[in-house]
Amino acid sequence: MTESSAAALPRTDAGPQAPSPALGVLRRVFGYDAFRGEQEPIIEHVIAGGDAVVLMPTGAGKSLCFQIPALVRRGTGVVVSPLIALMQDQADALRALGVRAGFLNSTLDPDERRVVEAQLLAGELDLLYLAPERLRSEQTLRLLAQTEIALFAIDEAHCVSQWGHDFRPDYLTLSVLGERWPGVPRIALTATATAATHEEITHRLGLEQAKHFVASFDRPNITYRIVPKAEGKKQLLGFIREEHPGDAGIVYCLSRAGTEKTAEFLTTNGVEAVPYHAGLDAGMRAAHQSRFLREDGLVVVATIAFGMGIDKPDVRFVAHLDLPKSVEGYYQETGRAGRDGLPSTAWMAYGLADVVQQRKLVQSGEGDEAFRRRAAAHLDAMLALCETAGCRRTRLLRYFGQELAAERCGNCDTCLIPPETWDGTVAAQKALSTVVRLQRERGQKFGAGQITDILLGRKTAKVEQFAHDELSVFGVGADLTESEWRAALRQLLALGVLAVEGEYGTLVLTEASGPVLRGEREILLRKDPTPPKRSRTATAKSAAKAPVDLPPEAQPLFDALRAWRTGQAREQGIAPYMVFHDATLREFAVRRPATLGELGSISGVGEKKLATYGEGLLEVISSADSA
Ligand code: ADP
Ligand code: ZN
């Protein structure tokens, strides 16, 4: 850091009460009062020159853990990140705070690159974002060798994990940093929390000597809900209309076609949505991402390609229309909701077809046997989360080796409305017997649809074609409804008491089937909740709900502030959240500051923003007062 930096510290005779340099930067540059969680010890450790491995959930505030040390230490902080498409936004957001930030990646033309390189060499950058592949080139390494480096931050560090879900081969070369710059502190950060990933990061990046900081992965402001899928798209629409009208959200689908159909369906039904997947051309992807960041309340329907590193703070919901492949992936994706700490929802619709499809994918998937076993284990954990009658959050955290203070969180669907369970042993035996008879007596295997029809005793064309009405099990399950059978089969598959085989997803027995058939193992099933029927008026009422929890008298000012913010953002070509977060606008609307001093005391208002927006804001607030 040099003297001209916005973050430069006043060299006064600080008394014993003076804040530490780190706290000073937090308040002056970022406008926040206090550190969160483990931020302070991490930041102090890196400022003192120590290496760190930081595991923190999304939204916990990892960025400050390297940004502040970069501002306090001499030289430029170099941030390695795989998220090339976001570097521009990250640099913009920092510049809006008065921090001198730049980036080097393949999106720059040679002239732009030279400008950044010159700034770096002149010591005019506090932070430089760098794509990992740059570090393969001797030219980049030489460039860095000519400047003073404050620290290396390795963001999204789980990308170094070969078996993880985001492996980037270029991350394997990052061990070079420790070798070439032994005196420069390195801080590796990720929101992926399993012990295996943690170990791989430490080992592959040569961070054995580093201090490790593992935060609680709980995200208390996110409500987790997993609902049985009937008509996924319609359920999604209902969910958005009832609970998140006008809110920004991300919807995840497995297939590219699925994202496009869903986006179209939502838009046709009045919820503005755009698709995002690897098959769209780069220009359109960039345009959709940019709209998502810049507009209030747009929904992006995406394959997993979307969202990593997007630090839009006001994503109010993340929805899954298809089953994620692992709990790790699910937690990363849902974690993109509610970074600002305001209430948000992680919603998923999940059904029998999903289990069948995913089990099939795992079996026919690429990779060797060990890889497939791993994929199967990931899926089992995901299914167990879906089918649990216990608290979802407790399960999620246990998956990451952490415990919640209480047995139940009170903010997930199973805590809010505990599901009923029933003794499904006899039902399971009926279903398994049907599979057995088909195979033993006929040498046949069928999928869940036909098994259900046989159990229900339905004389469909296919039943008659194969004379399945002559099986002794025909109609033995007439005591349950079709949806109950689908739910039961889904759970038996999730439990591994039944398995899926082959291209057509036929059902077959497993090693775990025998004890159930012989009556040695009881099967407890959860009853799918019946979705509450909402009246039209109830829907209309909740549609008027404010995007953030606001006292009604503050609503008009909040709306005026949002409109003001949109105008400011447009003028500067940046995203609204880079002007101020919703949470900060909310504070303005509730507290109605009347002076610059009062404004500056609100969380999220640093020196630069106070200077840029202060007068304008006071005007908006006072004219709303007199209105
Ligand atoms: P992560 O990278 O861990 O997902 P971010 O660094 O994007 O999280 O931080 C999440 C949000 O929390 C950001 O909007 C950030 O400005 C805010 N934030 C971080 N630290 C603090 C703090 N100490 N006080 C208030 N807000 C904070
Ligand atoms: Zn719970």
Side-chain angles (χ1 to χ4, degrees):
M1 189 185 85
T2 57
E3 295 303 319
S4 60
S5 163
L9 304 168
R11 310 242 180 262
T12 52
D13 298 340
Q17 307 300 327
S20 68
L23 189 58
V25 172
L26 178 77
R27 293 191 176 149
R28 230 177 21 259
V29 179
F30 296 91
Y32 298 137
D33 289 338
F35 286 113
R36 278 188 188 160
E38 293 275 280
Q39 279 176 332
E40 188 164 23
I42 296 168
I43 288 169
E44 293 299 348
H45 178 71
V46 177
I47 288 177
D51 292 338
V53 176
V54 173
L55 276 61
M56 264 190 194
T58 310
K62 283 185 287 302
S63 318
L64 292 189
C65 295
F66 57 83
Q67 288 168 347
I68 292 182
L71 290 169
V72 172
R73 284 177 63 89
R74 289 172 54 88
T76 305
V78 176
V79 186
V80 181
S81 162
L83 308 168
I84 292 168
L86 291 173
M87 288 186 180
Q88 178 77 59
D89 278 316
Q90 285 165 333
D92 283 348
L94 283 165
R95 286 186 202 127
L97 295 165
V99 175
R100 302 167 311 165
F103 61 91
L104 287 174
N105 64 31
S106 54
T107 66
L108 296 184
D109 63 37
D111 284 339
E112 292 170 322
R113 201 185 66 221
R114 272 190 288 277
V115 170
V116 178
E117 289 176 358
Q119 287 173 333
L120 177 69
L121 292 175
E124 289 168 2
L125 288 181
D126 300 312
L127 280 155
L128 174 71
Y129 284 78
L130 205 61
E133 63 270 17
R134 293 274 128 181
L135 289 167
R136 272 201 320 244
S137 97
E138 202 41 49
Q139 195 202 345
T140 309
L141 293 171
R142 268 202 308 272
L143 176 76
L144 295 179
Q146 292 169 55
T147 70
E148 188 167 12
I149 296 176
L151 57 86
F152 287 106
I154 299 157
D155 208 2
E156 313 289 347
H158 60 279
C159 290
V160 79
S161 160
Q162 224 147 357
W163 293 110
H165 49 97
D166 281 321
F167 176 57
R168 311 271 169 138
D170 284 317
Y171 264 62
L172 292 176
T173 64
L174 295 183
S175 53
V176 71
L177 300 177
E179 290 152 17
R180 286 231 190 179
W181 284 273
V184 175
R186 289 175 298 147
I187 170 170
L189 311 102
T190 179
T192 298
T194 54
T197 315
H198 184 177
E199 209 195 297
E200 224 178 329
I201 291 171
T202 308
H203 168 69
R204 290 195 189 277
L205 295 177
L207 284 165
E208 282 87 359
Q209 307 301 320
K211 195 159 174 184
H212 296 249
F213 298 89
V214 181
S216 163
F217 268 68
D218 189 16
R219 297 287 309 280
N221 62 313
I222 298 181
T223 307
Y224 295 95
R225 286 176 45 203
I226 301 178
V227 306
K229 192 196 277 184
E231 295 173 281
K233 286 206 287 286
K234 275 196 191 155
Q235 289 170 283
L236 173 69
L237 180 66
F239 160 71
I240 297 176
R241 278 188 176 158
E242 279 156 29
E243 296 176 39
H244 289 285
D247 282 351
I250 307 176
V251 178
Y252 287 105
C253 296
L254 212 54
S255 74
R256 296 171 181 185
T259 65
E260 294 191 1
K261 270 188 238 141
T262 306
E264 196 187 309
F265 174 80
L266 289 177
T267 304
T268 317
N269 286 285
V271 175
E272 183 125 12
V274 292
Y276 187 101
H277 58 74
L280 294 176
D281 73 70
M284 189 181 280
R285 278 209 310 269
H288 287 177
Q289 173 175 303
S290 161
R291 278 191 64 192
F292 182 64
L293 294 175
R294 279 163 180 69
E295 291 175 21
D296 285 325
L298 186 71
V299 174
V300 168
V301 188
T303 55
I304 46 168
F306 185 79
M308 181 157 91
I310 283 195
D311 55 4
K312 184 176 166 64
D314 53 358
V315 177
R316 290 273 71 84
F317 68 89
V318 168
H320 283 89
L321 270 188
D322 293 303
L323 189 66
K325 290 188 174 57
S326 69
V327 176
E328 251 173 293
Y330 170 76
Y331 207 59
Q332 284 250 341
E333 285 154 21
T334 54
R336 291 164 191 156
R339 280 176 179 245
D340 53 12
L342 298 173
S344 308
T345 315
W347 180 93
M348 175 159 100
Y350 147 85
L352 174 59
D354 291 295
V355 194
V356 173
Q357 184 191 27
Q358 290 283 0
R359 285 260 198 252
K360 258 166 48 186
L361 275 178
V362 166
Q363 279 164 25
S364 60
E366 55 208 67
D368 54 13
E369 185 52 33
F371 184 81
R372 271 200 294 275
R373 257 207 308 275
R374 230 169 143 126
H378 279 312
L379 180 57
D380 282 341
M382 190 64 224
L383 293 174
L385 173 70
C386 291
E387 299 295 357
T388 183
C391 170
R392 308 254 192 227
R393 195 181 310 271
T394 305
R395 264 206 171 257
L396 279 166
L397 290 176
R398 281 211 184 122
Y399 184 79
F400 298 115
Q402 300 188 344
E403 289 292 328
L404 203 64
E407 186 58 28
R408 291 190 158 265
C409 76
N411 192 22
C412 72
D413 53 355
T414 53
C415 279
L416 293 168
I417 306 174
E420 289 174 47
T421 53
W422 58 290
D423 184 347
T425 311
V426 173
Q429 287 167 341
K430 288 175 181 172
L432 296 181
S433 306
T434 306
V435 174
V436 171
R437 306 243 165 231
L438 281 170
Q439 198 164 356
R440 293 234 182 101
E441 293 173 17
R442 306 286 181 89
Q444 296 169 340
K445 291 173 186 169
F446 278 88
Q450 186 73 356
I451 308 273
T452 308
D453 285 340
I454 295 170
L455 285 163
L456 289 170
R458 279 185 176 155
K459 295 210 178 200
T460 65
K462 201 164 160 190
V463 163
E464 295 194 333
Q465 182 193 341
F466 290 97
H468 285 163
D469 47 350
E470 290 165 19
L471 291 166
S472 59
V473 288
F474 186 73
V476 293
D479 52 330
L480 298 184
T481 65
E482 177 175 357
S483 64
E484 284 166 338
W485 272 117
R486 291 182 69 83
L489 291 176
R490 188 191 77 218
Q491 294 181 67
L492 295 176
L493 279 166
L495 286 169
V497 169
L498 268 176
V500 176
E501 192 183 81
E503 192 187 339
Y504 300 107
T506 53
L507 301 188
V508 293
L509 299 190
T510 69
E511 278 171 21
S513 309
V516 179
L517 277 166
R518 290 193 297 272
E520 294 159 16
R521 174 175 168 189
E522 278 185 24
I523 298 287
L524 202 64
L525 296 177
R526 64 172 272 181
K527 246 183 217 165
D528 282 348
T530 34
K533 296 232 167 13
R534 287 197 169 78
S535 68
R536 277 186 162 274
T537 47
T539 310
K541 213 187 284 159
S542 55
K545 177 180 82 95
V548 290
D549 243 350
L550 264 181
E553 66 279 9
Q555 187 70 47
L557 179 52
F558 183 80
D559 292 339
L561 287 164
R562 262 192 147 188
W564 168 85
R565 178 177 70 176
T566 305
Q568 294 294 321
R570 205 166 284 154
E571 236 168 66
Q572 299 173 57
I574 58 175
Y577 72 81
M578 294 178 191
V579 177
F580 287 112
H581 289 182
D582 277 356
T584 306
L585 292 193
R586 182 187 180 282
E587 286 302 288
F588 294 157
V590 172
R591 285 164 54 183
R592 297 177 181 259
T595 64
L596 286 175
E598 285 171 30
L599 253 185
S601 72
I602 287 176
S603 179
V605 188
E607 277 182 353
K608 169 86 191 274
K609 288 192 178 171
L610 187 63
T612 313
Y613 304 116
E615 300 289 350
L617 264 175
L618 290 179
E619 233 164 79
V620 178
I621 295 167
S622 70
S623 57
D625 269 344
S626 53

